[in-house]
Amino acid sequence: MFPSALGPFEHTTLSVDGRDLKITIGRPLFSAHTDPLGTHTFGGKELLHVDDRPQFAEVAILRAFENDGWQGRWVETYGNGKMTPGLWRDWHAEGPGMQTNHPITDAWVRDRLHAIAMANGNTYSGCWDVVAWKGERLVFAESKKAKKDRMRGTQLRWLEAAMRCGMKADDFLLVEWSTS
């Protein structure tokens, strides 16, 4: 269902719009980057060793999907317009202004994302970190550092909007990662 590199898997319950949703949670172990000097940390985010260089958990999650035959993007809303998120595939050490935007060319994916954003009050705010698609399946994955991060209200609102647009609970993956 989800790339095995993001496991082991179990389930958690998220309450959305008065309903309890059973969401898959993956608990992978990623490698910390040991020499991040000179790399912009985007506000103090922990750097991981991905593609032989310092990157973030969002990229590690995206690579797990790509290595399993999926296409995807890291969806970054910080510093972008409400309806124009950054669509990234990796992290460049120079910081947010140097990131390369990779537009999604699959019309059905763009249309679904746009519909969810419209249902979310005309904003991508709260969109889960990684969107991935394979065949006709679209999924969202949210990165959370184990014992440090928690779900925000905007992310639950995105989940709620997505459910109203036909997405299912099994189209969402919480990735609660830790480092070795």
Side-chain angles (χ1 to χ4, degrees):
M1 181 179 221
F2 295 112
S4 61
L6 296 176
F9 298 102
E10 55 189 62
H11 289 92
T12 190
T13 301
L14 295 178
S15 294
V16 176
D17 196 28
R19 298 186 303 172
D20 286 341
L21 300 176
K22 186 176 166 183
I23 303 291
T24 302
I25 185 167
R27 299 187 190 281
L29 186 63
F30 294 139
S31 296
H33 194 69
T34 57
D35 186 23
L37 292 177
T39 300
H40 189 288
T41 61
F42 206 19
K45 290 171 64 86
E46 185 171 345
L47 290 162
L48 303 177
H49 191 76
V50 181
D51 300 336
D52 292 322
R53 60 191 177 107
Q55 300 203 57
F56 298 115
E58 293 85 350
V59 178
I61 293 165
L62 177 58
R63 288 299 179 273
F65 276 100
E66 290 175 339
N67 291 338
D68 201 43
W70 297 70
Q71 295 182 66
R73 300 293 184 277
W74 169 8
V75 181
E76 183 53 57
T77 59
Y78 180 79
N80 293 291
K82 291 186 343 179
M83 291 296 286
T84 56
L87 300 169
W88 301 344
R89 294 201 55 248
D90 49 19
W91 179 253
H92 295 285
E94 297 83 16
M98 298 303 293
Q99 303 313 305
T100 302
N101 196 54
H102 295 273
I104 296 171
T105 58
D106 295 87
W108 73 271
V109 176
R110 282 193 324 265
D111 291 348
R112 176 63 62 96
L113 289 172
H114 183 77
I116 296 169
M118 296 296 289
N120 190 44
N122 299 320
T123 183
Y124 276 82
S125 177
C127 182
W128 289 30
D129 293 316
V130 173
V131 59
W133 61 97
K134 183 179 188 179
E136 295 181 5
R137 179 135 192 252
L138 180 70
V139 300
F140 292 95
E142 178 61 30
S143 171
K144 297 295 180 198
K145 173 77 188 252
K147 299 179 182 174
K148 182 179 177 191
D149 295 329
R150 61 181 180 81
M151 292 296 289
R152 297 186 322 261
T154 56
Q155 295 161 338
L156 295 173
R157 284 191 292 280
W158 180 268
L159 173 60
E160 180 182 349
M163 300 295 281
R164 288 194 313 267
C165 290
M167 301 290 292
K168 306 288 185 226
D170 63 358
D171 296 326
F172 291 85
L173 173 66
L174 283 174
V175 181
E176 190 174 90
W177 57 274
S178 50
T179 55
S180 57

